[in-house]
Coordinates of all heavy atoms in Angstrom, one line a residue:
K2 N 160.6 66.6 118.9 CA 159.6 65.5 119.0 C 158.9 65.5 120.3 O 157.7 65.3 120.4 CB 160.3 64.2 118.7 CG 159.4 63.0 118.6 CD 160.2 61.8 118.2 CE 159.4 60.6 118.1 NZ 160.1 59.4 117.8
S21 N 134.1 65.8 128.9 CA 133.5 65.3 130.1 C 132.6 66.3 130.8 O 131.6 65.9 131.4 CB 134.6 64.8 131.1 OG 135.4 65.9 131.5
A88 N 97.6 81.4 127.3 CA 98.5 82.3 126.5 C 99.5 82.9 127.5 O 99.1 83.3 128.6 CB 97.8 83.3 125.7
P97 N 98.1 72.4 138.3 CA 97.0 72.2 137.3 C 95.6 72.1 137.9 O 95.5 71.6 139.0 CB 97.4 70.9 136.6 CG 98.3 70.2 137.5 CD 99.0 71.2 138.4
N109 N 85.8 79.8 124.1 CA 86.8 79.0 123.5 C 88.2 79.5 123.9 O 89.1 79.9 123.1 CB 86.7 79.0 122.0 CG 87.6 78.0 121.3 OD1 88.0 77.0 121.9 ND2 88.0 78.4 120.1

Side-chain angles (χ1 to χ4, degrees):
K2 189 175 181 183
S21 65
N109 189 30

